[in-house]
Amino acid sequence: MSLSSPPGPPGKRVAPLADGYRETPLWWDDTTFPTVEESPLPGTADVVVVGAGFTGLAAAARLASHGKHVIVVDAGALGEGASGRNAGMVHAGVRRDLAFLERKYGDAGRALHHASVEAYAFVAKTAATAAPDAMYAQTGWLHLAHRRSRMKGLRREEAERRQRLGESTVMLEQAALESEAPCRGFYGGMLTDNGASIHPARYLAGLARLSITNGAAVHPHTRVRSIESLGTGSRVHTSHGDITAGDVLVATNGYTDAAAPWARRRIIPIGSYIIATEPLGDARAAGVSPQHRMMSDTRNFLHYWRLSPDGRLLFGGRTSFAPVSVQTARDRLYSAMIGIYPQLAGVRVSHAWTGNVGFTFDQLPHLTRSDGVTYAMGYCGSGIALGSWMGTLAGEWIARGARPAFSDLRFPRLPFYRGHPWFLPLVGVYYSWLDRL
Ligand SMILES: Cc1cc2nc3c(=O)[nH]c(=O)nc-3n(C[C@H](O)[C@H](O)[C@H](O)COP(=O)(O)OP(=O)(O)OC[C@H]3O[C@@H](n4cnc5c(N)ncnc54)[C@H](O)[C@@H]3O)c2cc1C
């Protein structure tokens, strides 16, 4: 495969669909979530956790292990939030590097960075004990430059990761990509051991089992309508009755709704989309990703991809900052995938789906408290590790008063923003201009 000629904009293609094609996450096909008996909500609890994704369930597991009476409520079924919909690419770090965090936030910034490193290790440990069927594998991560101009930034990042953070990291020039990513359109990349693959829904099911075993009660299909402050504690009004609780943790990330208006003004939900191909077979899979790396590119409209455990290519991206249908996004992703891997032309798509990523105005995650309610969210697309660990830290804070050093970082908002991101199409125009530079 020639590496020297980046493709022009991929032509528009309509994705060929496999028999049994469906618009639900691939992961749901082979995950069994614990069955939870329908039972009436108790009137009181030590802690109510709103949201049963990685954040909420990791928090519940930790809180219950400290003997707290914990109720987890979720508006949907287990796995319906982003935690059951993501690409299963685990990485450490936040979107700002350590130098930036130190300069801007001092000790709190350093603490946030360290938390993000601990978060990565936490997933490996937790998956091994609570979800061995989630097939966690330390595969490494390859970040590819879609423009020659992006190599400079990648080189800087590579040096920082290697020298300051002790990661095993190397820069690959274009000619060296063949053995790693036999695909078109990239000028080189940064390869780091700091990347892993996981089956996210099975990992989530493992966290659910762990929290239930530790003593938490999980109530799916229970929507919180509002949270009323009582001065000491809160009353949580849900679709199935009210619960009075000493503490409330809001862990709703990209699905935050009017029940949590304080968070809604600070979280920007952005749709991300994924397609999965039919199984490629060993030879073709090896021709796509010989080392089974997690891969992404340097676009703002980024693409990310990996092989699934059964040898499909999972290919995801943002496709647009304006909401689009799954069918439109699927065809755009297919075109982009064929632009990168022309050898896959004609391979059929078996699954296409979408989910909400929770972004923040400072591109940082936040674990903080306002009006007696604790909030953990804003992982900007890296919530497998960050969500699991922020949830755990939230549990420690609520149960034992262990306040994280970064919890008083300001959680910024935009004036007049109330949860409907009217500005995203404009941001999209700006980002696609940047992507061409
Ligand atoms: C397509 C896609 C691909 C992604 N890929 C990756 C990846 O490869 N690696 C990575 O690290 N991250 C990835 N992410 C991000 C990651 O999935 C999220 O950051 C993470 O799952 C967030 O977990 P959470 O528990 O905070 O929120 P969620 O898992 O989104 O859970 C929030 C829950 O809150 C519930 N909720 C909301 N409002 C209410 C209410 N009023 N009452 C009751 N319940 C409520 C929702 O029903 C939902 O279940 C991806 C996200 C998407 C959408």
Side-chain angles (χ1 to χ4, degrees):
M1 182 63 43
S2 159
L3 295 166
S4 56
S5 53
K12 277 203 179 120
R13 290 170 191 261
V14 175
L17 305 182
D19 299 339
Y21 162 80
R22 60 192 89 173
E23 292 180 352
T24 50
L26 170 71
W27 315 117
W28 294 2
D29 290 359
D30 61 359
T31 300
T32 309
F33 288 102
T35 320
V36 269
E37 299 291 325
E38 265 203 36
S39 57
L41 281 181
T44 59
D46 291 333
V47 188
V48 171
V49 175
V50 189
F54 300 137
T55 309
L57 290 173
R62 185 56 66 104
L63 283 161
S65 77
H66 285 300
K68 293 287 177 188
H69 177 211
V70 189
I71 307 294
V72 184
V73 290
D74 198 293
L78 281 178
E80 269 187 342
S83 300
R85 297 175 170 273
N86 61 75
M89 299 164 63
V90 191
H91 33 92
V94 293
R95 291 170 76 88
R96 304 293 198 176
D97 62 26
L98 176 56
F100 174 90
L101 291 172
E102 284 180 332
R103 199 171 56 246
K104 182 133 196 223
Y105 305 111
D107 287 346
R110 202 170 300 117
L112 180 61
H113 171 81
H114 287 311
S116 80
V117 175
E118 287 169 330
Y120 183 72
F122 179 79
V123 176
K125 211 166 59 201
T126 309
T129 52
D133 63 340
M135 295 171 280
Y136 177 92
Q138 176 82 31
T139 50
W141 170 49
L142 180 60
H143 196 42
L144 293 157
H146 79 286
R147 288 275 184 253
R148 203 178 297 285
S149 58
R150 302 305 153 96
M151 287 296 280
K152 195 170 159 205
L154 284 184
R155 284 203 175 87
R156 203 178 323 115
E157 187 180 341
E158 189 271 330
E160 169 166 320
R161 283 173 179 267
R162 185 165 32 80
Q163 291 162 6
R164 275 202 85 180
L165 311 179
E167 283 181 24
S168 173
T169 307
V170 68
M171 270 317 276
L172 299 178
E173 300 304 322
Q174 192 176 37
L177 281 184
E178 185 76 52
S179 64
E180 286 288 347
C183 54
R184 284 177 56 182
F186 300 108
Y187 293 88
M190 180 194 68
L191 176 64
T192 165
D193 63 346
N194 188 348
S197 62
I198 199 164
H199 186 309
R202 288 189 181 179
Y203 173 58
L204 184 71
L207 286 177
R209 284 191 300 270
L210 180 66
S211 55
I212 292 166
T213 307
N214 286 356
V218 180
H219 291 260
H221 305 295
T222 304
R223 179 175 291 282
V224 171
R225 295 200 170 119
S226 62
I227 302 167
E228 178 192 353
S229 172
L230 300 177
T232 306
S234 304
R235 184 164 298 124
V236 181
H237 300 274
T238 84
S239 50
H240 290 160
D242 297 350
I243 316 171
T244 303
D247 282 280
V248 176
L249 169 66
V250 176
T252 49
N253 201 41
Y255 292 85
T256 302
D257 64 11
W262 187 87
R264 208 183 189 197
R265 287 195 286 270
R266 290 164 170 82
I267 287 286
I268 314 155
I270 299 185
S272 193
Y273 301 80
I274 300 181
I275 56 173
T277 66
E278 55 195 346
L280 297 175
D282 290 348
R284 208 151 41 164
V288 160
S289 177
Q291 318 295 337
H292 288 236
R293 306 287 188 205
M294 304 295 97
M295 293 196 237
S296 55
D297 66 24
T298 46
R299 290 179 173 84
N300 286 295
F301 276 98
L302 97 162
H303 297 122
Y304 48 86
W305 62 98
R306 57 165 285 189
L307 290 173
S308 68
D310 61 350
R312 301 160 195 268
L313 182 59
L314 251 71
F315 191 88
R318 209 164 282 148
T319 81
S320 165
F321 274 104
V324 294
S325 69
V326 170
Q327 298 79 24
T328 301
R330 175 197 67 207
D331 291 346
R332 286 184 189 168
L333 286 173
Y334 189 79
S335 301
M337 180 182 84
I338 299 302
I340 293 173
Y341 289 108
Q343 66 269 41
L344 293 186
V347 164
R348 296 180 304 171
V349 170
S350 64
H351 298 71
W353 70 94
T354 183
N356 288 355
V357 174
F359 274 82
T360 55
F361 289 104
D362 58 4
Q363 300 192 45
L364 294 176
H366 289 271
L367 166 53
T368 190
R369 203 167 269 176
S370 173
D371 242 350
V373 173
T374 306
Y375 297 86
M377 54 185 62
Y379 313 119
C380 304
S382 302
I384 302 175
L386 288 172
S388 306
W389 188 233
M390 294 283 174
T392 304
L393 292 178
E396 286 293 319
W397 187 4
I398 292 169
R400 297 196 308 118
R403 185 185 179 109
F406 55 86
S407 61
D408 47 11
L409 285 183
R410 200 173 73 85
F411 194 166
R413 51 173 292 206
L414 193 71
F416 308 115
Y417 174 65
R418 298 265 183 286
H420 297 290
W422 46 268
F423 45 81
L424 282 185
L426 300 174
V427 176
V429 171
Y430 174 60
Y431 276 176
S432 48
W433 174 74
L434 283 183
D435 281 346
R436 285 195 290 273
L437 296 180

